[in-house]
């Protein structure tokens, strides 16, 4: 099964540049209305403009732009500590807002929390060594 998580963003180009820099990879697809990043063999991250999805879901659902800046999603990425530290550093350079630095959490992961340009939470995790 392929899983794709699509974030609704205010500015597709700015968000694509942010995630490209933070993840250290180029988009696997970039067309008007959708940017995709192949994070792993079975997971893609998509970026769709808020207005694009509004054309599909409104008026049944609220206009996505009305929630801009409100944490609506957490993207939890987990890998080796060095890789997560690299993404953390690049995300900060790209404009992420630090919410909480790397800390060992009670579920056994060491996790840092940041917010992307639209307020989506980016959690960067690795297994804690005990």
């Amino acid at each position: 099964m392929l899983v794709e998580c699509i974030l609704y963003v205010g500015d597709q180009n700015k968000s694509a540049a942010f995630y490209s820099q933070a993840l250290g990879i180029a988009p696997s697809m970039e067309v008007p209305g959708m940017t995709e990043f192949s994070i792993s063999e079975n997971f893609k991250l998509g970026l769709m403009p808020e207005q694009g999805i509004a054309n599909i879901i409104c008026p049944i659902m609220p206009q996505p732009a009305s929630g801009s800046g409100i944490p609506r999603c957490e993207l939890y990425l987990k890998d080796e500590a060095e890789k997560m530290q690299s993404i953390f550093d690049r995300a900060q350079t790209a404009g992420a807002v630090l919410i909480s630095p790397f800390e060992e959490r009670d579920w056994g992961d060491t996790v840092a929390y940041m917010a992307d340009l639209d307020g989506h939470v980016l959690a960067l995790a690795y297994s804690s060594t005990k």
Side-chain angles (χ1 to χ4, degrees):
M1 176 185 295
L2 173 66
V3 176
E4 184 165 357
C5 176
I6 300 171
L7 303 179
Y8 305 146
V9 298
D11 185 313
Q12 180 182 348
N13 293 329
K14 285 182 182 177
S15 291
F18 171 84
Y19 277 100
S20 185
Q21 182 174 353
L23 298 172
I25 59 175
S28 53
M29 182 186 80
E30 195 163 18
V31 299
M34 179 62 74
T35 301
E36 289 181 351
F37 293 90
S38 295
I39 305 295
S40 71
E41 184 177 324
N42 295 320
F43 179 74
K44 290 184 180 183
L45 173 65
L47 306 173
M48 177 183 263
E50 292 166 333
Q51 189 53 51
I53 191 61
N55 293 334
I56 297 169
I57 66 172
C58 294
I60 304 298
M61 300 289 296
Q63 164 58 262
S66 65
S68 188
I70 297 170
R72 299 177 280 176
C73 164
E74 177 178 311
L75 183 62
Y76 196 95
L77 303 177
K78 185 175 177 180
D79 206 329
E80 299 171 355
E82 298 79 25
K83 289 182 183 179
M84 293 297 96
Q85 183 65 54
S86 292
I87 292 173
F88 178 87
D89 294 340
R90 291 191 305 262
Q92 280 199 302
T93 301
V97 174
L98 179 62
I99 298 169
S100 176
F102 282 104
E103 291 181 22
E104 187 172 337
R105 310 297 173 165
D106 59 5
W107 57 89
D109 287 349
T110 297
V111 188
Y113 289 89
M114 311 174 93
D116 73 6
L117 305 178
D118 293 283
H120 301 109
V121 175
L122 180 59
L124 306 174
Y126 58 89
S127 293
S128 300
T129 307
K130 294 187 178 189

